[in-house]
């Protein structure tokens, strides 16, 4: 960290620079797919509490996507982002 910010203008400039650096991460498809996995996990848990069989496909996606993504990265079909 270690930013010596003394004025509002310096803080605004730092905030703008950080936002510009992070934009590619927030717009990446992998981030939004992981958000979808989180939603499928929560939705699958809720459907399981209700006793609905649709919880099984939700859990299958929530478990299968990270496993498939890891395998594709290890086989070098996909590249590791942001490293």
């Amino acid at each position: 960290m270690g930013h010596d910010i003394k004025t509002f203008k310096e803080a605004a400039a730092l905030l703008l620079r950080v936002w510009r650096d992070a934009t590619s991460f927030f717009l990446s498809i992998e981030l939004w797919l992981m958000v979808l996995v989180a939603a499928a996990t929560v939705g699958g848990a809720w459907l399981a509490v209700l006793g609905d069989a649709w919880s099984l496909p939700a859990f299958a996606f929530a478990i299968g996507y990270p496993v498939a993504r890891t395998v594709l990265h290890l086989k070098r079909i996909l590249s590791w982002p942001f490293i």
Side-chain angles (χ1 to χ4, degrees):
M1 298 294 156
H3 299 287
D4 190 27
I5 300 171
K6 295 188 178 51
T7 65
F8 180 76
K9 185 177 179 181
E10 289 174 353
L14 179 63
L15 180 68
L16 186 61
R17 190 178 84 227
V18 168
W19 180 253
R20 284 181 180 158
D21 290 343
T23 301
S24 63
F25 173 72
F26 289 121
L27 295 178
S28 72
I29 189 68
E30 291 211 18
L31 172 73
W32 293 107
L33 283 171
M34 290 309 293
V35 169
L36 185 62
V37 166
T41 303
V42 172
W46 179 250
L47 290 172
V49 167
L50 294 177
D52 194 350
W54 282 103
S55 65
L56 296 175
F59 281 137
F61 174 73
I63 293 170
Y65 171 72
V67 170
R69 189 175 129 223
T70 302
V71 168
L72 291 174
H73 281 299
L74 290 175
K75 289 185 174 185
R76 299 199 186 274
I77 294 171
L78 295 176
S79 63
W80 293 99
F82 314 115
I83 294 180

PDB file of all heavy atoms in Angstrom, residues 21-37:
ATOM      1  N   ASP A  21      -6.766  -0.040 -14.045  1.00  0.00           N
ATOM      2  CA  ASP A  21      -5.970  -1.266 -14.004  1.00  0.00           C
ATOM      3  C   ASP A  21      -6.836  -2.494 -13.758  1.00  0.00           C
ATOM      4  O   ASP A  21      -6.533  -3.587 -14.227  1.00  0.00           O
ATOM      5  CB  ASP A  21      -4.897  -1.173 -12.915  1.00  0.00           C
ATOM      6  CG  ASP A  21      -3.805  -0.180 -13.260  1.00  0.00           C
ATOM      7  OD1 ASP A  21      -3.693   0.189 -14.448  1.00  0.00           O
ATOM      8  OD2 ASP A  21      -3.064   0.233 -12.336  1.00  0.00           O
ATOM      9  N   ALA A  22      -7.920  -2.347 -13.004  1.00  0.00           N
ATOM     10  CA  ALA A  22      -8.761  -3.483 -12.636  1.00  0.00           C
ATOM     11  C   ALA A  22      -9.893  -3.745 -13.614  1.00  0.00           C
ATOM     12  O   ALA A  22     -10.581  -4.760 -13.507  1.00  0.00           O
ATOM     13  CB  ALA A  22      -9.341  -3.257 -11.241  1.00  0.00           C
ATOM     14  N   THR A  23     -10.105  -2.865 -14.568  1.00  0.00           N
ATOM     15  CA  THR A  23     -11.228  -3.009 -15.491  1.00  0.00           C
ATOM     16  C   THR A  23     -11.180  -4.326 -16.260  1.00  0.00           C
ATOM     17  O   THR A  23     -12.208  -4.985 -16.426  1.00  0.00           O
ATOM     18  CB  THR A  23     -11.267  -1.832 -16.473  1.00  0.00           C
ATOM     19  OG1 THR A  23     -11.392  -0.633 -15.732  1.00  0.00           O
ATOM     20  CG2 THR A  23     -12.424  -1.942 -17.433  1.00  0.00           C
ATOM     21  N   SER A  24     -10.017  -4.724 -16.714  1.00  0.00           N
ATOM     22  CA  SER A  24      -9.920  -5.970 -17.483  1.00  0.00           C
ATOM     23  C   SER A  24     -10.325  -7.169 -16.634  1.00  0.00           C
ATOM     24  O   SER A  24     -10.902  -8.125 -17.155  1.00  0.00           O
ATOM     25  CB  SER A  24      -8.514  -6.160 -18.035  1.00  0.00           C
ATOM     26  OG  SER A  24      -7.590  -6.289 -16.977  1.00  0.00           O
ATOM     27  N   PHE A  25     -10.051  -7.128 -15.333  1.00  0.00           N
ATOM     28  CA  PHE A  25     -10.466  -8.224 -14.461  1.00  0.00           C
ATOM     29  C   PHE A  25     -11.980  -8.252 -14.305  1.00  0.00           C
ATOM     30  O   PHE A  25     -12.603  -9.302 -14.391  1.00  0.00           O
ATOM     31  CB  PHE A  25      -9.797  -8.088 -13.088  1.00  0.00           C
ATOM     32  CG  PHE A  25     -10.313  -9.084 -12.093  1.00  0.00           C
ATOM     33  CD1 PHE A  25      -9.980 -10.420 -12.193  1.00  0.00           C
ATOM     34  CD2 PHE A  25     -11.140  -8.678 -11.061  1.00  0.00           C
ATOM     35  CE1 PHE A  25     -10.464 -11.335 -11.280  1.00  0.00           C
ATOM     36  CE2 PHE A  25     -11.623  -9.584 -10.149  1.00  0.00           C
ATOM     37  CZ  PHE A  25     -11.284 -10.913 -10.263  1.00  0.00           C
ATOM     38  N   PHE A  26     -12.586  -7.087 -14.083  1.00  0.00           N
ATOM     39  CA  PHE A  26     -14.027  -7.057 -13.863  1.00  0.00           C
ATOM     40  C   PHE A  26     -14.825  -7.361 -15.125  1.00  0.00           C
ATOM     41  O   PHE A  26     -15.971  -7.776 -15.036  1.00  0.00           O
ATOM     42  CB  PHE A  26     -14.450  -5.708 -13.282  1.00  0.00           C
ATOM     43  CG  PHE A  26     -14.014  -5.530 -11.862  1.00  0.00           C
ATOM     44  CD1 PHE A  26     -13.188  -4.482 -11.513  1.00  0.00           C
ATOM     45  CD2 PHE A  26     -14.410  -6.409 -10.879  1.00  0.00           C
ATOM     46  CE1 PHE A  26     -12.771  -4.316 -10.204  1.00  0.00           C
ATOM     47  CE2 PHE A  26     -14.001  -6.261  -9.576  1.00  0.00           C
ATOM     48  CZ  PHE A  26     -13.182  -5.212  -9.237  1.00  0.00           C
ATOM     49  N   LEU A  27     -14.231  -7.171 -16.285  1.00  0.00           N
ATOM     50  CA  LEU A  27     -14.910  -7.468 -17.539  1.00  0.00           C
ATOM     51  C   LEU A  27     -14.584  -8.869 -18.061  1.00  0.00           C
ATOM     52  O   LEU A  27     -15.083  -9.257 -19.114  1.00  0.00           O
ATOM     53  CB  LEU A  27     -14.543  -6.424 -18.593  1.00  0.00           C
ATOM     54  CG  LEU A  27     -15.024  -5.006 -18.297  1.00  0.00           C
ATOM     55  CD1 LEU A  27     -14.553  -4.066 -19.400  1.00  0.00           C
ATOM     56  CD2 LEU A  27     -16.526  -4.949 -18.141  1.00  0.00           C
ATOM     57  N   SER A  28     -13.771  -9.630 -17.335  1.00  0.00           N
ATOM     58  CA  SER A  28     -13.369 -10.950 -17.827  1.00  0.00           C
ATOM     59  C   SER A  28     -14.522 -11.943 -17.711  1.00  0.00           C
ATOM     60  O   SER A  28     -15.328 -11.907 -16.784  1.00  0.00           O
ATOM     61  CB  SER A  28     -12.157 -11.469 -17.048  1.00  0.00           C
ATOM     62  OG  SER A  28     -12.544 -11.836 -15.743  1.00  0.00           O
ATOM     63  N   ILE A  29     -14.577 -12.855 -18.652  1.00  0.00           N
ATOM     64  CA  ILE A  29     -15.628 -13.865 -18.669  1.00  0.00           C
ATOM     65  C   ILE A  29     -15.451 -14.846 -17.516  1.00  0.00           C
ATOM     66  O   ILE A  29     -16.431 -15.359 -16.969  1.00  0.00           O
ATOM     67  CB  ILE A  29     -15.670 -14.587 -20.037  1.00  0.00           C
ATOM     68  CG1 ILE A  29     -16.878 -15.488 -20.159  1.00  0.00           C
ATOM     69  CG2 ILE A  29     -14.401 -15.371 -20.279  1.00  0.00           C
ATOM     70  CD1 ILE A  29     -18.183 -14.761 -20.232  1.00  0.00           C
ATOM     71  N   GLU A  30     -14.220 -15.095 -17.110  1.00  0.00           N
ATOM     72  CA  GLU A  30     -13.998 -16.055 -16.032  1.00  0.00           C
ATOM     73  C   GLU A  30     -14.559 -15.561 -14.704  1.00  0.00           C
ATOM     74  O   GLU A  30     -15.082 -16.342 -13.924  1.00  0.00           O
ATOM     75  CB  GLU A  30     -12.507 -16.382 -15.909  1.00  0.00           C
ATOM     76  CG  GLU A  30     -12.023 -17.169 -17.101  1.00  0.00           C
ATOM     77  CD  GLU A  30     -10.911 -18.123 -16.762  1.00  0.00           C
ATOM     78  OE1 GLU A  30     -10.734 -18.432 -15.579  1.00  0.00           O
ATOM     79  OE2 GLU A  30     -10.233 -18.541 -17.686  1.00  0.00           O
ATOM     80  N   LEU A  31     -14.460 -14.273 -14.452  1.00  0.00           N
ATOM     81  CA  LEU A  31     -15.043 -13.732 -13.223  1.00  0.00           C
ATOM     82  C   LEU A  31     -16.542 -13.945 -13.217  1.00  0.00           C
ATOM     83  O   LEU A  31     -17.114 -14.416 -12.228  1.00  0.00           O
ATOM     84  CB  LEU A  31     -14.723 -12.242 -13.077  1.00  0.00           C
ATOM     85  CG  LEU A  31     -15.455 -11.561 -11.916  1.00  0.00           C
ATOM     86  CD1 LEU A  31     -14.850 -11.999 -10.592  1.00  0.00           C
ATOM     87  CD2 LEU A  31     -15.439 -10.076 -12.064  1.00  0.00           C
ATOM     88  N   TRP A  32     -17.196 -13.643 -14.327  1.00  0.00           N
ATOM     89  CA  TRP A  32     -18.655 -13.758 -14.367  1.00  0.00           C
ATOM     90  C   TRP A  32     -19.103 -15.211 -14.373  1.00  0.00           C
ATOM     91  O   TRP A  32     -20.181 -15.534 -13.857  1.00  0.00           O
ATOM     92  CB  TRP A  32     -19.203 -12.967 -15.547  1.00  0.00           C
ATOM     93  CG  TRP A  32     -18.976 -11.520 -15.301  1.00  0.00           C
ATOM     94  CD1 TRP A  32     -18.070 -10.715 -15.925  1.00  0.00           C
ATOM     95  CD2 TRP A  32     -19.582 -10.716 -14.282  1.00  0.00           C
ATOM     96  NE1 TRP A  32     -18.105  -9.455 -15.378  1.00  0.00           N
ATOM     97  CE2 TRP A  32     -19.021  -9.423 -14.373  1.00  0.00           C
ATOM     98  CE3 TRP A  32     -20.551 -10.955 -13.316  1.00  0.00           C
ATOM     99  CZ2 TRP A  32     -19.398  -8.384 -13.536  1.00  0.00           C
ATOM    100  CZ3 TRP A  32     -20.930  -9.927 -12.478  1.00  0.00           C
ATOM    101  CH2 TRP A  32     -20.362  -8.664 -12.590  1.00  0.00           C
ATOM    102  N   LEU A  33     -18.303 -16.114 -14.922  1.00  0.00           N
ATOM    103  CA  LEU A  33     -18.638 -17.536 -14.819  1.00  0.00           C
ATOM    104  C   LEU A  33     -18.530 -18.018 -13.371  1.00  0.00           C
ATOM    105  O   LEU A  33     -19.337 -18.832 -12.921  1.00  0.00           O
ATOM    106  CB  LEU A  33     -17.746 -18.364 -15.739  1.00  0.00           C
ATOM    107  CG  LEU A  33     -18.125 -18.310 -17.214  1.00  0.00           C
ATOM    108  CD1 LEU A  33     -17.057 -18.994 -18.060  1.00  0.00           C
ATOM    109  CD2 LEU A  33     -19.473 -18.944 -17.447  1.00  0.00           C
ATOM    110  N   MET A  34     -17.554 -17.507 -12.633  1.00  0.00           N
ATOM    111  CA  MET A  34     -17.446 -17.890 -11.225  1.00  0.00           C
ATOM    112  C   MET A  34     -18.596 -17.287 -10.404  1.00  0.00           C
ATOM    113  O   MET A  34     -19.064 -17.904  -9.446  1.00  0.00           O
ATOM    114  CB  MET A  34     -16.085 -17.488 -10.654  1.00  0.00           C
ATOM    115  CG  MET A  34     -14.942 -18.314 -11.200  1.00  0.00           C
ATOM    116  SD  MET A  34     -15.187 -20.107 -11.114  1.00  0.00           S
ATOM    117  CE  MET A  34     -15.174 -20.383  -9.368  1.00  0.00           C
ATOM    118  N   VAL A  35     -19.063 -16.111 -10.776  1.00  0.00           N
ATOM    119  CA  VAL A  35     -20.257 -15.549 -10.126  1.00  0.00           C
ATOM    120  C   VAL A  35     -21.457 -16.449 -10.423  1.00  0.00           C
ATOM    121  O   VAL A  35     -22.286 -16.701  -9.537  1.00  0.00           O
ATOM    122  CB  VAL A  35     -20.497 -14.100 -10.591  1.00  0.00           C
ATOM    123  CG1 VAL A  35     -21.854 -13.588 -10.157  1.00  0.00           C
ATOM    124  CG2 VAL A  35     -19.386 -13.190 -10.075  1.00  0.00           C
ATOM    125  N   LEU A  36     -21.546 -16.955 -11.658  1.00  0.00           N
ATOM    126  CA  LEU A  36     -22.619 -17.880 -12.015  1.00  0.00           C
ATOM    127  C   LEU A  36     -22.514 -19.178 -11.218  1.00  0.00           C
ATOM    128  O   LEU A  36     -23.531 -19.733 -10.788  1.00  0.00           O
ATOM    129  CB  LEU A  36     -22.577 -18.156 -13.519  1.00  0.00           C
ATOM    130  CG  LEU A  36     -23.688 -19.004 -14.090  1.00  0.00           C
ATOM    131  CD1 LEU A  36     -25.039 -18.325 -13.902  1.00  0.00           C
ATOM    132  CD2 LEU A  36     -23.434 -19.252 -15.563  1.00  0.00           C
ATOM    133  N   VAL A  37     -21.302 -19.668 -10.985  1.00  0.00           N
ATOM    134  CA  VAL A  37     -21.109 -20.866 -10.165  1.00  0.00           C
ATOM    135  C   VAL A  37     -21.582 -20.606  -8.735  1.00  0.00           C
ATOM    136  O   VAL A  37     -22.246 -21.456  -8.124  1.00  0.00           O
ATOM    137  CB  VAL A  37     -19.626 -21.314 -10.194  1.00  0.00           C
ATOM    138  CG1 VAL A  37     -19.333 -22.316  -9.101  1.00  0.00           C
ATOM    139  CG2 VAL A  37     -19.290 -21.892 -11.543  1.00  0.00           C
TER     140      VAL A  37
END
